[in-house]
Amino acid sequence: MKARMQTMLTHFGEENIHGAVVPPIFLNSTFVHDSYEAFQEGEGYYYSRVANPTLDVLEKKLAALEQGEAAKAFASGMAALSAVLFHFLKQGDHAVCSTPAYGGTFGILGSYMHKFGISVDFVDFRDTDRVRAAIKPNTRLIVCESYSTFFMDVFDLAAIVAMAKEHGLHTVIDNTCASPANLRPLEWGFDVVVHSASKYLGGHSDVIAGAVISSEAIIDRIVQTEYGIFGGALGPFEAWLVTRGLKTFGLRMRQHADSAMQIARMLEANDQVAKVNFPFLPGHEQHALTRKQFDAPSGLLSFELRGGKAAAVRMINRLRYFKIGVSWGGFESLVYSPGMSGGHEQFAGTDYEPRLDPLIRISVGLEDPADLMDDLRSALEVPA
């Protein structure tokens, strides 16, 4: 009998060690063997930079959660993504990446990879014709996100996968924003899923971690090369923290989704708000596609104020429960605006650029939604 998600996360992949309800943490760096021959046979563990029993528990859960054959946990989401990119790309190769992209993704593909002779085109994946036009004879990889972290744009998953298969390209998708509670890209035909497990998977804002989920063949090749060579292994204690977070993942995601929907509707009705970037709202231009592809929202959304940057600054400074901070997916509610920081080269000259300063992104936490809505309403009030 196949267990449903929350039941699987509670029990799957855990060994019964001395009757412990919570799996122990194997903090040791090295493992010994009984004989010369036993070591040569390669059974069991030998060094935690390559494998560790505590990580095994987490990786089994992550693979099952994303409906993949295997998973590997990394020291951060960027460590996971970097390993995947370097695995598939070599000198002279080309990649196509969705835009807007997460800042770290844009950084490594937009400039860093150039030193290795790897080129990339950033394309609006909402227009599949533009994606097709960006594919070149040396294109090897398509990189995208389940939806963008500032504007919550979505794209036709099936169309992108079909295009990639037509041209013999591998596909990599960052599913951090949506989370596997709402989208499982491997079921749509993507080759590799990447996560920042620091966010919804961990859920407690107390761990930095990443993950890659794919076929056994791809994960095995990454483990044999990039995982061991780059040294981006996740520590056992951090793996234990993410596993602990997964115990309540399904419950947390339902609360995030319910609260985010209530808040999005409230913001949509407020005269100070020009636009709510939340495609789960019935009036959003991408609502039909969103409902087709996603089971539910996560807790991430953004909105744009009519008063420009000054209104955004005033509102952010008046919030009480939404704390100013980067990241998302934790128990606490956070607020951030791209106008607070630089490094937005990917938006220069695009339709997105004038939308940055008045844009406010919120990560809806697990506080009572009524209190969060009161906080937002109060902060939106125009001073007399």
Side-chain angles (χ1 to χ4, degrees):
M1 181 174 64
K2 184 177 180 180
R4 294 170 177 81
M5 183 183 71
Q6 191 57 49
T7 305
M8 180 275 294
L9 291 173
T10 302
H11 299 286
F12 180 70
E14 300 186 8
E15 300 295 335
N16 186 343
I17 300 175
H18 302 300
V21 175
V22 178
I25 309 173
F26 289 84
L27 288 173
N28 44 298
S29 60
T30 193
F31 299 83
V32 298
H33 295 74
D34 293 334
S35 67
Y36 184 104
E37 292 79 11
F39 186 92
Q40 278 195 320
E41 289 171 1
E43 296 182 0
Y45 306 91
Y46 72 97
Y47 196 55
S48 284
R49 180 166 54 81
V50 179
N52 178 284
T54 309
L55 271 70
D56 281 358
V57 173
L58 172 61
E59 289 161 357
K60 289 176 182 177
K61 291 181 187 292
L62 291 175
L65 188 58
E66 280 282 12
Q67 300 296 306
E69 292 179 357
K72 200 64 189 170
F74 285 78
S76 69
M78 282 307 301
L81 177 65
S82 299
V84 170
L85 294 178
F86 279 105
H87 179 75
F88 286 109
L89 297 171
K90 64 181 186 306
Q91 186 177 27
D93 285 348
H94 172 260
V96 179
C97 182
S98 62
T99 185
Y102 175 69
T105 303
F106 181 79
I108 190 169
L109 282 173
S111 58
Y112 192 79
M113 284 292 193
H114 291 175
K115 68 190 293 184
F116 301 103
I118 297 168
S119 58
V120 62
D121 280 314
F122 290 92
V123 179
D124 187 342
F125 273 39
R126 292 175 297 178
D127 187 343
T128 53
D129 289 337
R130 291 183 63 184
V131 179
R132 183 179 297 277
I135 296 174
K136 303 176 181 180
N138 62 331
T139 303
R140 298 291 178 266
L141 193 65
I142 288 181
V143 183
C144 52
E145 299 174 8
S146 52
Y147 53 85
S148 61
T149 61
F150 280 143
F151 297 98
M152 314 301 136
D153 296 325
V154 301
F155 61 91
D156 191 329
L157 298 169
I160 295 299
V161 168
M163 191 183 306
K165 293 185 182 301
E166 176 187 342
H167 289 84
L169 309 178
H170 282 107
T171 47
V172 176
I173 185 168
D174 184 335
N175 196 29
T176 304
C177 289
S179 91
N182 307 314
L183 175 69
R184 290 154 301 282
L186 297 178
E187 295 179 350
W188 289 82
F190 281 86
D191 296 312
V192 179
V193 176
V194 176
H195 279 281
S196 168
S198 316
K199 301 184 173 58
Y200 287 119
L201 297 177
H204 290 73
S205 299
D206 56 6
V207 62
I208 300 294
V212 177
I213 304 97
S214 186
S215 66
E216 286 186 4
I218 288 176
I219 293 298
D220 284 346
R221 291 197 298 268
I222 290 175
V223 170
Q224 293 300 318
T225 52
E226 290 79 15
Y227 190 78
I229 292 172
F230 293 165
L234 184 64
F237 180 64
E238 288 75 16
W240 183 87
L241 286 173
V242 179
T243 301
R244 178 212 54 183
L246 288 177
K247 301 290 189 185
T248 58
F249 174 72
L251 304 175
R252 289 187 287 103
M253 294 310 299
R254 284 199 291 273
Q255 182 64 52
H256 286 305
D258 181 68
S259 297
M261 182 60 76
Q262 291 184 56
I263 288 171
R265 288 171 175 157
M266 182 271 291
L267 290 169
E268 188 180 39
N270 192 287
D271 292 338
Q272 304 301 316
V273 177
K275 180 178 176 61
V276 179
N277 300 308
F278 193 66
F280 296 89
L281 287 171
H284 193 281
E285 60 270 21
Q286 291 188 295
H287 178 71
L289 178 62
T290 301
R291 296 307 304 173
K292 176 183 176 182
Q293 297 182 163
F294 298 87
D295 295 337
S298 64
L300 196 65
L301 64 122
S302 68
F303 54 98
E304 299 163 47
L305 297 179
R306 297 189 187 279
K309 184 173 183 176
V313 172
R314 181 177 63 246
M315 180 180 181
I316 288 172
N317 286 336
R318 295 178 69 183
L319 288 166
R320 294 177 56 228
Y321 295 126
F322 287 87
K323 303 300 183 182
I324 299 171
V326 298
S327 196
W328 64 88
F331 64 90
E332 80 286 13
S333 291
L334 295 173
V335 60
Y336 178 76
S337 172
M340 298 167 65
S341 60
H344 300 304
E345 294 87 355
Q346 65 174 310
F347 300 113
T350 71
D351 294 340
Y352 292 107
E353 188 173 22
R355 298 171 61 188
L356 294 176
D357 283 344
L359 184 139
I360 294 176
R361 185 186 72 187
I362 55 175
S363 172
V364 180
L366 300 179
E367 301 94 337
D368 191 296
D371 291 327
L372 295 178
M373 286 190 286
D374 285 346
D375 192 22
L376 290 165
R377 288 192 194 96
S378 177
L380 281 167
E381 289 179 0
V382 178

